[in-house]
Amino acid sequence: MDTREDEKTGRREDEMLGGREERAYSGSELMACVAARELRDGEVVFVGIGLPNLACNLARRTHAPGLVLIYESGAIGAQPERLPVSIGDPSLVTGSLMVCSMADVFQCFLQNGRIEVGFLGGAQVDRFGNINTTAIGDYASPKVRLPGAGGATEIAIHAKRTLIIAKLDRRAFREQVDFISSPGHRARGRSRADLRIPGAGPTRVITDKAILAANAETGELELAALYPGVTVDEVRAGIGWELSVRESLEVVAAPSAEELRALREDVKVE
Amino acid sequence: MDTREDEKTGRREDEMLGGREERAYSGSELMACVAARELRDGEVVFVGIGLPNLACNLARRTHAPGLVLIYESGAIGAQPERLPVSIGDPSLVTGSLMVCSMADVFQCFLQNGRIEVGFLGGAQVDRFGNINTTAIGDYASPKVRLPGAGGATEIAIHAKRTLIIAKLDRRAFREQVDFISSPGHRARGRSRADLRIPGAGPTRVITDKAILAANAETGELELAALYPGVTVDEVRAGIGWELSVRESLEVVAAPSAEELRALREDVKVE
Amino acid sequence: MHGGNSVSRTASKVVSMRNAVAQHVRDGDVLVIEGFTHLICFAAAHEIIRQKRRNLTLCRLTPDVIYDQMIAAGCATKLVFSWAGNPGAGSLHAFRRAVEAKPPTLAIEEYSHFGMVARFSAGAARLPFWPLRDYQGTDLPVANPQIRSITCPYTGAAIATVPALNPDVTIVHAQRADADGNTQIWGLLGVQKEAAFASKRVIVVVEELVDSSVIRADPNRTIIPGMIVDAVVVEPWGAHPSYAQGCYDRDNPFYTAWEAISRDAERLQSYLDEWVYGVADRAEYVRRQPQLVERLTARRAMSGEVSYGY
Amino acid sequence: MHGGNSVSRTASKVVSMRNAVAQHVRDGDVLVIEGFTHLICFAAAHEIIRQKRRNLTLCRLTPDVIYDQMIAAGCATKLVFSWAGNPGAGSLHAFRRAVEAKPPTLAIEEYSHFGMVARFSAGAARLPFWPLRDYQGTDLPVANPQIRSITCPYTGAAIATVPALNPDVTIVHAQRADADGNTQIWGLLGVQKEAAFASKRVIVVVEELVDSSVIRADPNRTIIPGMIVDAVVVEPWGAHPSYAQGCYDRDNPFYTAWEAISRDAERLQSYLDEWVYGVADRAEYVRRQPQLVERLTARRAMSGEVSYGY
């Protein structure tokens, strides 16, 4: 986890949404709330910077006080007093429960199967949840060179489930990604079971307009829930494949007053 | 390294040797001096308890103040204030330069090739310096079950050179050992080079009567030096194969006054 | 964003040794009580003996006096190890009687120290094997067919392998932990971290239960995180006759005395009758030897402090 | 048996950064300056740029601003890495210009973080490879044929492998060391221990040179032993704009500013002219920004002490 999603989602002004003035919220605030609700109390979460960090700290402040935050930098049980800018921020260390080497993070925690939830983001996501964080265009002669996999490959493989955070955009949500940095539910035609990948993969894709979820049989991402006031056509406009829509479509609740208060006062989102 | 050698060598009364009263010394004191003289200043030594511990601390107090003592328990640069009874003694930790996990000891120090000298001992030593610390008789139904290899296998393989410490005895120095726990210069007919063993093997076998050393071509242990007043026949009486004797036989010097003082006062040998 | 020990999932991890053993150690388990000379949890072994666990596979680099007692008490059917002596004092005679019997009454699976460390490392990393450059020219791979080899995909060289060791339960003694099991150890670390991460269940036994704020003040000292710990037992002097750096010294006279005790099977049983079956728990064991505290309590040798500020 | 620092083989390990780089960093070297966000030794990178080293193969998990500067300065012909972004701020534009050029002017060899950590672990253990359960379903093994696989001799499963990384020289920044290079680090440890043990030569750069007695008071904090260290450089603020836990905070505004600086090749060269070529050493770099000390000096957050007595 790193700042990939931050680069993609967090760096432009959010328009304010919501009905009444006192409950107005930004798109990022809604995404943070939606992601936080996916986390259960006591779970062990591999945290990234940006929206995942907001979501984890929001969940700790609301329904999941026993969430264990682990950063790939080696901080275990972090309680940052400020919003960390990087996953190696010193505030993740001060007052944490444990600091270990990165060899231990990847071997004893991640590969060991101790991580219950991982967050992923990326420049390109395909219909099976495969992610490209490596390069746009040809790998050897890229049009745009992206940062690369970082820890996302092994998070995608070993976390018991992952949450993908990405804003809808036809250039991002594509039939096929140019490069598979992190495997989804089917990679180059092979299922996770076939590839002997232990984790369940991306159970939810949290976008700025809707939640996508994988079809249990095919592994294809489908529209599972809409944000308040969003139409199916608006979602389809941001997706580069023929999106399936579930029959019983959930509607996501707007952020509650308590969620917004916690997000703005405790988590200190600016 | 452990207390194998202690069990074999240190638990009976030493007779006092030497010519004049003020220079009288025990057999163990002489062995400790001979072993200490094999260590060069600045070398990194994997230390065992018993005679190796005496020898290392004597060397530090005389000609090799920069000797780095490493114990397989994880104490690096130990400066024990008392004679440790075990290789995990707390006195090896207090005031040491570093304490690391045993995984680091074996991987980052020993397998990495950072250990220059290792000490070995054992119930049986054969003509090529192979050592048995495992079992007398058949492995599956042993006559005497010995403690086992401990760290001696990997010390014998990875230390740049090893020193074997053992008292002469026909039951101990045998044509063949019942079980090879630690490889010498030729094991089951194959040379160290052939077996891709990195270390040079046992360059010296320090006994209570003489020093044996390996023939550079054949790897066979030969008589290289006699202790004061010892005859070749006395040595042969303690060895179970036809011992070759080097043409230019060295004579080992008796412990100097300074060696005895350091051993008795600084190293505090009882 | 601070706010107390919000990581604890439950406060109920802190239990008595009796309850920890009753709940987490079962007949037939693959059991590890680790600690290389340092922090060997005799208190747990004695409780396991009292509760008459049977058919255990005991794993340790150095079976030490602790497993000699458990073998003598009839707990074990198999031993996995690398060096079975009494450091500085002699043999483990209960072990020797069992292995030298015709036929042997104890099965063994034997490695070198590096091999055992590598097995725990593989277990902790959930890899099926661990590679090591070892065993060439020795008879160990003949004695133990679990020692195998692999061909390096880069150099073509043969590299030895050992299989992962994933115990059912691992017991680790430590200087201190918080109520959630976040555990700090200093001095010799042995293979405790690897054994704990390799294990299905983990019991931590500590000299001192501390507030989470003590742990959080120095997070680099934490060796085992609470998230992998099932039970926390507070048992001062629980490692005697081994030692706890900063707390009490090794009882070398006891280790020396074990040579004569264990050499005589009847005397060994008398020892168990008096000091294991004959006491209710570790507290009584300590109470009945008041000289231990006087003889072995550690002098202080302070570490100094560092700052974690930013 | 105590008696001073009898382990030092020589007192001459303590040298200036200029001398350390002149003596130990050579054209064509495989060079590692590690530190995951924490303790990234910019002081060493700037001296390497000033001394105009060429044809370096630079290895790091996160090339970060430090390697973006070295790439811009023309030091590197190859980059070995796993994540090449500017954490929290954007891209490494010198890196991107080199890799997006037709044809690219910088060769790359790319892994994931776990893969890079595994390469250093193998190097430190002097194993030719390291096994990891990774890369299934990804295009990384296609992009990088050094990512291979092996068949487990116990389960028959295919396990990925990466080759050992054994650098010519590794530079590690740390809070403190003694004159022999016994080095203590707290806070994030990254892969510094593994990189140092993997390397042919090791330079340690410290915020503070301390007496050996400080190291010996808390030996569990030592990450790198002096016996593998070739040079010790004392360079306060040597990790700026990264940070040193307990000493100074990360300069986040600088990282943010790098986005605009590095996006413009000319502006980047002006930066190097002023802050790298334009200063003699790190002391001058710090002297010319007096506000750094005021802005970034860490508050204290003390660890507490433990006892190592027996």
Side-chain angles (χ1 to χ4, degrees):
Chain A
M1 297 302 299
D2 41 53
T3 62
R4 289 179 291 273
E5 48 285 346
D6 200 28
E7 290 176 47
K8 292 292 147 195
T9 64
R11 306 206 68 78
R12 59 179 161 122
E13 289 307 305
D14 281 318
E15 53 180 331
M16 294 308 278
L17 311 168
R20 293 186 301 164
E21 183 66 15
E22 72 270 28
R23 289 281 294 279
Y25 53 87
S26 72
S28 290
E29 284 175 331
L30 178 54
M31 288 176 80
C33 291
V34 170
R37 293 169 193 162
E38 294 286 332
L39 304 172
R40 295 165 211 144
D41 195 20
E43 283 190 318
V44 179
V45 186
F46 224 68
V47 191
I49 301 304
L51 266 164
N53 190 66
L54 292 180
C56 291
N57 280 292
L58 175 59
R60 274 181 61 216
R61 288 296 167 173
T62 52
H63 65 286
L67 209 63
V68 182
L69 309 190
I70 295 187
Y71 292 79
E72 71 186 10
S73 55
I76 313 295
Q79 287 186 335
E81 282 189 344
R82 67 182 185 196
L83 267 184
V85 173
S86 101
I87 47 169
D89 196 86
S91 68
L92 301 174
V93 166
T94 316
S96 66
L97 284 171
M98 178 175 184
V99 174
C100 65
S101 72
M102 293 186 76
D104 283 350
V105 169
F106 287 111
Q107 293 184 133
C108 296
F109 286 89
L110 192 52
Q111 188 170 260
N112 188 301
R114 304 283 179 173
I115 305 299
E116 278 148 333
V117 189
F119 283 97
L120 297 170
Q124 296 181 337
V125 181
D126 77 11
R127 68 194 299 159
F128 293 108
N130 297 299
I131 295 175
N132 174 15
T133 54
T134 302
I136 307 291
D138 179 47
Y139 177 78
S141 181
K143 192 173 152 227
V144 179
R145 174 63 220 202
L146 302 167
T153 303
E154 36 271 4
I155 293 168
I157 287 172
H158 288 288
K160 289 191 178 153
R161 68 181 195 277
T162 58
L163 301 171
I164 297 177
I165 313 275
K167 292 203 174 179
L168 286 179
D169 181 334
R170 274 183 180 261
R171 290 167 303 175
F173 283 81
R174 300 160 64 90
E175 175 71 35
Q176 282 206 350
V177 294
D178 294 346
F179 188 100
I180 301 182
S181 314
S182 305
H185 294 287
R186 294 188 74 81
R188 308 270 178 254
R190 297 179 72 190
S191 71
R192 291 176 77 87
D194 190 25
L195 291 162
R196 293 169 168 267
I197 297 178
T203 53
R204 289 276 190 285
V205 180
I206 297 166
T207 77
D208 52 334
K209 293 191 164 60
I211 299 175
L212 312 184
N215 181 289
E217 282 173 33
T218 66
E220 184 175 321
L221 297 177
E222 309 170 322
L223 180 57
L226 287 171
Y227 291 179
V230 175
T231 67
V232 171
D233 282 350
E234 284 178 86
V235 176
R236 284 202 160 122
I239 291 192
W241 69 84
E242 181 106 8
L243 183 69
S244 297
V245 179
R246 289 193 175 171
E247 281 193 23
S248 59
L249 210 53
E250 301 165 49
V251 174
V252 169
S256 71
E258 171 55 19
E259 284 174 327
L260 285 178
R261 191 206 58 71
L263 201 49
R264 290 168 184 174
E265 291 173 27
D266 299 335
V267 182
K268 293 179 189 127
V269 55
E270 50 280 358
Chain B
M1 297 299 300
D2 43 54
T3 60
R4 289 179 293 274
E5 49 284 349
D6 198 29
E7 288 176 48
K8 292 292 149 196
T9 62
R11 305 204 70 76
R12 60 177 160 123
E13 290 306 307
D14 281 317
E15 51 180 330
M16 293 309 279
L17 310 167
R20 293 186 305 163
E21 183 67 13
E22 71 270 29
R23 287 283 291 282
Y25 53 86
S26 72
S28 290
E29 283 175 332
L30 177 55
M31 287 176 80
C33 290
V34 171
R37 293 170 193 162
E38 294 287 331
L39 304 172
R40 296 164 211 144
D41 196 19
E43 282 190 317
V44 179
V45 186
F46 224 67
V47 191
I49 301 303
L51 265 165
N53 189 67
L54 293 180
C56 290
N57 279 291
L58 174 60
R60 276 181 59 216
R61 289 296 166 172
T62 51
H63 66 284
L67 208 63
V68 181
L69 308 191
I70 295 186
Y71 292 80
E72 72 186 11
S73 56
I76 314 294
Q79 287 186 335
E81 282 189 343
R82 68 181 183 196
L83 266 185
V85 173
S86 99
I87 46 169
D89 196 85
S91 67
L92 300 174
V93 166
T94 317
S96 67
L97 284 170
M98 178 176 185
V99 174
C100 65
S101 71
M102 292 186 76
D104 283 349
V105 168
F106 287 112
Q107 292 183 134
C108 296
F109 286 89
L110 191 52
Q111 188 169 258
N112 188 302
R114 302 284 179 171
I115 305 299
E116 279 150 330
V117 188
F119 282 97
L120 298 171
Q124 296 181 336
V125 180
D126 77 10
R127 69 194 297 160
F128 293 108
N130 298 299
I131 294 175
N132 175 14
T133 54
T134 302
I136 306 291
D138 179 46
Y139 177 79
S141 181
K143 191 171 154 229
V144 179
R145 176 62 220 203
L146 302 167
T153 303
E154 35 271 3
I155 293 167
I157 286 171
H158 288 289
K160 289 190 179 154
R161 69 180 194 279
T162 58
L163 300 172
I164 297 176
I165 313 276
K167 292 202 175 180
L168 286 180
D169 181 336
R170 274 183 180 260
R171 288 167 307 175
F173 283 82
R174 298 159 65 90
E175 175 72 34
Q176 282 206 351
V177 293
D178 294 346
F179 189 99
I180 300 181
S181 314
S182 305
H185 294 288
R186 294 187 76 80
R188 306 273 178 249
R190 297 181 69 191
S191 71
R192 291 177 75 89
D194 190 24
L195 291 162
R196 293 169 169 267
I197 296 177
T203 52
R204 289 277 190 283
V205 180
I206 296 167
T207 77
D208 52 334
K209 292 191 165 60
I211 300 175
L212 312 183
N215 181 290
E217 282 174 35
T218 64
E220 183 175 322
L221 297 178
E222 309 170 321
L223 179 59
L226 287 172
Y227 292 0
V230 175
T231 67
V232 171
D233 282 348
E234 283 177 84
V235 175
R236 284 199 160 126
I239 291 191
W241 69 83
E242 180 107 8
L243 182 70
S244 297
V245 179
R246 289 192 175 172
E247 281 194 25
S248 59
L249 210 53
E250 299 164 50
V251 175
V252 170
S256 71
E258 170 54 18
E259 283 173 326
L260 284 179
R261 191 205 57 73
L263 201 51
R264 291 168 183 173
E265 291 173 26
D266 299 334
V267 181
K268 294 179 189 125
V269 55
E270 50 279 356
Chain C
M1 263 192 253
H2 255 283
N5 180 16
S6 61
V7 174
S8 289
R9 296 189 200 189
T10 165
S12 67
K13 282 188 190 175
V14 180
V15 295
S16 68
M17 183 66 85
R18 188 169 301 134
N19 287 347
V21 167
Q23 191 178 350
H24 296 292
V25 182
R26 299 157 198 169
D27 285 353
D29 270 356
V30 175
L31 170 70
V32 170
I33 308 179
E34 257 303 337
F36 194 81
T37 317
H38 186 209
L39 297 169
I40 304 175
C41 195
F42 280 79
H46 288 188
E47 183 60 29
I48 291 166
I49 293 172
R50 277 191 291 271
Q51 294 193 20
K52 296 193 164 51
R53 287 294 173 283
R54 290 294 177 267
N55 302 318
L56 299 175
T57 294
L58 299 179
C59 314
R60 257 181 77 80
L61 274 67
T62 58
D64 199 273
V65 168
I66 188 174
Y67 282 1
D68 210 34
Q69 294 179 349
M70 294 178 77
I71 292 165
C75 301
T77 47
K78 185 175 178 183
L79 182 71
V80 181
F81 73 104
S82 45
W83 192 79
N86 178 353
S91 292
L92 302 175
H93 291 284
F95 157 77
R96 281 187 57 182
R97 277 190 293 275
V99 175
E100 292 172 5
K102 313 293 175 199
T105 59
L106 181 75
I108 59 170
E109 184 177 329
E110 182 169 7
Y111 299 83
S112 64
H113 280 347
F114 190 9
M116 283 294 287
V117 170
R119 294 197 65 194
F120 282 120
S121 296
R126 292 298 191 276
L127 279 172
F129 72 94
W130 202 260
L132 63 168
R133 297 195 287 123
D134 207 352
Y135 300 121
Q136 309 99 296
T138 77
D139 290 332
L140 279 159
V142 179
N144 180 356
Q146 290 295 92
I147 299 173
R148 299 180 187 170
S149 78
I150 206 166
T151 302
C152 172
Y154 304 96
T155 64
I159 307 281
T161 63
V162 291
L165 178 48
N166 288 104
D168 293 307
V169 57
T170 289
I171 301 175
V172 169
H173 198 87
Q175 283 100 338
R176 67 190 185 194
D178 68 13
D180 199 46
N182 294 291
T183 304
Q184 300 194 326
I185 297 177
W186 54 98
L188 299 178
L189 303 174
V191 293
Q192 279 96 313
K193 180 189 74 183
E194 292 83 357
F197 274 100
S199 197
K200 298 187 183 80
R201 301 185 295 280
V202 175
I203 301 172
V204 164
V205 184
V206 291
E207 292 294 320
E208 187 188 9
L209 186 72
V210 296
D211 191 80
S212 285
S213 62
V214 174
I215 303 294
R216 289 186 185 276
D218 196 357
N220 281 96
R221 274 209 210 287
T222 306
I223 302 297
I224 298 171
M227 53 178 278
I228 70 167
V229 173
D230 298 281
V232 177
V233 178
V234 185
E235 199 78 285
W237 293 85
H240 177 270
S242 82
Y243 73 100
Q245 195 93 33
C247 303
Y248 46 89
D249 197 359
R250 188 166 188 266
D251 193 348
N252 291 320
F254 181 90
Y255 274 90
T256 303
W258 187 253
E259 168 67 15
I261 296 171
S262 73
R263 189 185 283 277
D264 177 340
E266 280 187 34
R267 222 180 129 187
L268 202 167
Q269 289 303 323
S270 301
Y271 173 85
L272 296 180
D273 286 342
E274 181 174 3
W275 291 105
V276 182
Y277 300 114
V279 299
D281 53 22
R282 175 84 0 179
E284 187 182 344
Y285 171 97
V286 176
R287 214 162 42 235
R288 282 176 53 181
Q289 330 183 50
Q291 77 287 5
L292 280 190
V293 174
E294 189 185 330
R295 186 160 58 87
L296 297 172
T297 295
R299 70 184 165 87
R300 286 159 67 90
M302 301 312 288
S303 64
E305 289 195 85
V306 302
S307 172
Y308 279 90
Y310 58 88
Chain D
M1 263 192 252
H2 256 283
N5 180 15
S6 60
V7 173
S8 290
R9 295 191 202 187
T10 164
S12 66
K13 282 187 189 175
V14 181
V15 295
S16 68
M17 183 67 84
R18 187 170 302 133
N19 286 348
V21 168
Q23 189 178 353
H24 295 292
V25 183
R26 300 159 197 166
D27 285 354
D29 270 356
V30 176
L31 171 70
V32 171
I33 308 179
E34 256 304 336
F36 193 81
T37 318
H38 186 210
L39 298 169
I40 305 175
C41 195
F42 280 80
H46 288 189
E47 183 59 29
I48 291 167
I49 293 172
R50 277 191 290 270
Q51 293 193 21
K52 297 193 165 52
R53 286 294 172 283
R54 290 294 177 265
N55 303 318
L56 300 176
T57 293
L58 300 179
C59 314
R60 255 181 79 80
L61 274 66
T62 59
D64 198 273
V65 168
I66 187 174
Y67 282 1
D68 211 34
Q69 294 178 349
M70 293 178 78
I71 291 165
C75 301
T77 47
K78 184 173 179 185
L79 182 70
V80 181
F81 74 105
S82 44
W83 192 78
N86 179 353
S91 292
L92 302 175
H93 290 283
F95 158 76
R96 281 187 56 184
R97 277 191 292 276
V99 174
E100 292 171 5
K102 311 295 176 203
T105 59
L106 181 74
I108 60 170
E109 185 178 327
E110 183 169 7
Y111 299 83
S112 64
H113 280 348
F114 190 8
M116 283 294 286
V117 169
R119 294 197 65 195
F120 282 120
S121 296
R126 293 297 192 275
L127 279 171
F129 72 94
W130 201 259
L132 64 169
R133 296 195 288 121
D134 208 352
Y135 300 121
Q136 309 100 296
T138 77
D139 290 332
L140 280 159
V142 178
N144 180 356
Q146 289 296 92
I147 298 173
R148 299 181 187 170
S149 78
I150 204 166
T151 303
C152 172
Y154 304 96
T155 63
I159 307 281
T161 62
V162 291
L165 177 48
N166 288 104
D168 293 306
V169 58
T170 288
I171 300 174
V172 170
H173 198 87
Q175 284 101 336
R176 68 188 185 195
D178 68 13
D180 198 46
N182 294 291
T183 302
Q184 299 194 328
I185 297 178
W186 54 98
L188 300 179
L189 303 175
V191 294
Q192 280 96 312
K193 180 189 73 182
E194 292 83 356
F197 274 100
S199 197
K200 298 187 183 82
R201 301 185 294 279
V202 175
I203 301 172
V204 165
V205 184
V206 291
E207 292 292 320
E208 188 188 8
L209 186 72
V210 297
D211 190 81
S212 286
S213 62
V214 174
I215 303 294
R216 291 187 183 274
D218 196 357
N220 281 96
R221 274 210 210 286
T222 305
I223 303 296
I224 297 171
M227 53 178 275
I228 70 167
V229 172
D230 297 282
V232 177
V233 178
V234 185
E235 200 78 285
W237 293 84
H240 177 270
S242 81
Y243 73 99
Q245 195 92 33
C247 303
Y248 46 89
D249 197 359
R250 189 166 186 266
D251 193 347
N252 291 320
F254 180 90
Y255 274 89
T256 304
W258 187 254
E259 169 66 17
I261 296 171
S262 73
R263 189 184 284 277
D264 177 340
E266 279 185 33
R267 220 178 132 191
L268 201 167
Q269 290 304 322
S270 301
Y271 173 85
L272 295 180
D273 286 342
E274 182 173 2
W275 292 104
V276 181
Y277 300 114
V279 299
D281 53 23
R282 177 81 359 177
E284 187 181 344
Y285 172 97
V286 176
R287 214 161 42 234
R288 282 176 52 181
Q289 322 181 58
Q291 77 288 5
L292 281 190
V293 174
E294 189 184 329
R295 186 161 58 88
L296 298 171
T297 295
R299 70 184 165 87
R300 285 159 68 91
M302 301 310 289
S303 63
E305 288 194 86
V306 301
S307 171
Y308 280 90
Y310 59 89

